[in-house]
Amino acid sequence: MLKLGIMSLDELKQIFGILDTLPPLHQDLFDELVKLRHEDGTVDQLGPTMLDWLPQLHAYKAYCCNQVAAKALLDHKRRNPAVHNFLQLCQESAFSRKLDVWSFLDLPRSRLVKYPLLLNQLLKHTVAEHPDHHTLSQAVSVIQAIISMINSKAGEAECEYYKKRLCYLYETQGEECVSRSRLLLCHGELKNNKSQRLHAFLFETILVLTRLVIHNNQLEFQVYRQPIPLPELVLEDLPDGEVRVGGSIRGAFIAANERAKNVFRVSFQDGSRGQAHTLQANDSFNKQQWVSCIRHAMVTTREQSASPATSPETPCTLGELSSLSLNCHDGTDQTEDGQRIM
């Protein structure tokens, strides 16, 4: 892509990050494991070698923390026909195994979380009396701590990335409350009862609904209406058929197939503080994920209010990061100021 002039060196560095530095780490482990083998293929102990090698996986912190920004830039560059066509040709080529480039860029993160599973299996099949049992147990603890740290830092990086891309129309839209947030619990596309696409962000202290806009050729999230602080939030899990597209309340003359499914409502405890929102998820599973995540965040907020010293827990594991994030790049509308709403 650099030789073709369809991306700059800085853009490629942002997208690929430190990817080229990771394979040598695993080659080092491979070489050490080969040295441990006897002629018959057996190995006496793996634990000490794993304990010596595992700290090198801290290098994954920089790579995982860059993932959100890398994915956003890659998606943005795909809008360039030259980039789109080149990546499509790559995907259709045999060397890519029909996989998109992001499948390869995301692979290190997904492989990292398999190390605890591998080590736990080794430990399971190692008797307690074996000299390797203790060191394997230590290795499991070490890799779990590394993944927990990387997960925490990646979550903070994701939160910071999206906070910087929120744009506020009014001073009263809770910018200060959002700026204090350290964690983005989940985010993704929802529709309101007017069928407008909104991108929702659930931070640890506030729920923010936004509209995607293009400003100065950059993707931003324009805050929609008044964000709802979690201590003031009321959540209603609405049964299917309670509302329909257009916002009509259930009525005797509404056809069943017109009634909305997978809907929930969020509002202020004090109705004068801001507008209520009836939101529709893509499917029942997505709705349940949103409802569960919001409920959990509300409970955590109350517990932290009762015990201010309690630190917020990290919401998910590396394997679940951005699991609620959806593809929201379909279609654009025009706003009054000439910005495009996506």
Side-chain angles (χ1 to χ4, degrees), residues 97 106 112 115 118 127 277 303 308:
R97 306 196 303 276
D106 195 44
L112 180 62
Y115 276 97
L118 174 63
V127 295
H277 302 276
E303 291 175 348

Side-chain angles (χ1 to χ4, degrees), residues 70-267:
K71 182 67 163 60
L73 179 57
L74 179 62
D75 288 344
H76 177 67
K77 296 300 294 184
R78 283 182 198 272
R79 296 187 183 128
N80 180 335
V83 175
H84 173 80
N85 292 338
F86 176 79
L87 293 178
Q88 189 64 35
L89 285 173
C90 289
Q91 185 173 345
E92 293 170 358
S93 300
F95 71 82
S96 73
R97 306 196 303 276
K98 307 302 181 183
L99 296 174
D100 178 67
V101 63
W102 185 251
S103 299
F104 295 100
L105 291 172
D106 195 44
L107 198 58
R109 177 193 60 80
S110 60
R111 289 285 174 84
L112 180 62
V113 298
K114 293 182 179 178
Y115 276 97
L117 303 177
L118 174 63
L119 290 173
N120 269 312
Q121 283 298 309
L122 289 171
L123 186 61
K124 178 181 176 181
H125 294 283
T126 304
V127 295
E129 296 77 20
H130 194 282
D132 215 19
H133 190 277
H134 178 64
T135 50
L136 282 175
S137 180
Q138 287 181 301
V140 170
S141 298
V142 169
I143 185 59
Q144 287 176 338
I146 291 173
I147 288 179
S148 178
M149 178 275 296
I150 294 175
N151 175 56
S152 176
K153 295 300 182 182
E156 291 176 11
E158 181 184 35
C159 183
E160 288 301 315
Y161 175 84
Y162 284 112
K163 285 194 313 186
K164 290 177 181 177
R165 279 151 185 80
L166 294 177
C167 53
Y168 300 85
L169 296 177
Y170 314 105
E171 293 182 358
T172 58
Q173 285 186 310
E175 182 174 0
E176 183 178 348
C177 188
V178 173
S179 66
R180 292 197 301 266
S181 297
R182 288 194 313 109
L183 295 176
L184 176 59
L185 304 181
C186 62
H187 70 96
E189 184 184 282
L190 297 166
K191 290 182 180 179
N192 63 12
N193 59 350
K194 297 179 181 178
S195 293
Q196 295 174 324
R197 291 182 178 183
L198 302 175
H199 199 93
F201 294 93
L202 179 63
F203 297 96
E204 82 251 37
T205 57
I206 194 166
L207 175 66
V208 183
L209 299 178
T210 69
R211 299 186 300 175
L212 276 73
V213 302
I214 300 296
H215 181 63
N216 294 330
N217 204 33
Q218 295 294 321
L219 181 68
E220 294 183 353
F221 298 87
Q222 188 180 82
V223 176
Y224 178 74
R225 307 298 185 186
Q226 189 68 20
I228 309 178
L230 296 189
E232 303 179 47
L233 189 146
V234 176
L235 172 66
E236 300 173 74
D237 186 351
L238 301 178
D240 291 346
E242 187 71 22
V243 296
R244 66 170 183 171
V245 174
S248 299
I249 302 300
R250 177 177 49 196
F253 302 104
I254 299 175
N257 60 3
E258 293 179 350
R259 296 175 183 174
K261 296 181 179 180
N262 313 314
V263 178
F264 61 96
R265 182 180 291 125
V266 292
S267 59

Side-chain angles (χ1 to χ4, degrees), residues 21-32 53 56-57 60 108 111-112 115:
T21 68
L22 300 181
L25 302 180
H26 300 276
Q27 184 65 46
D28 289 344
L29 175 62
F30 177 81
D31 293 341
E32 291 301 317
W53 178 79
Q56 295 189 58
L57 293 180
Y60 273 77
R111 289 285 174 84
L112 180 62
Y115 276 97

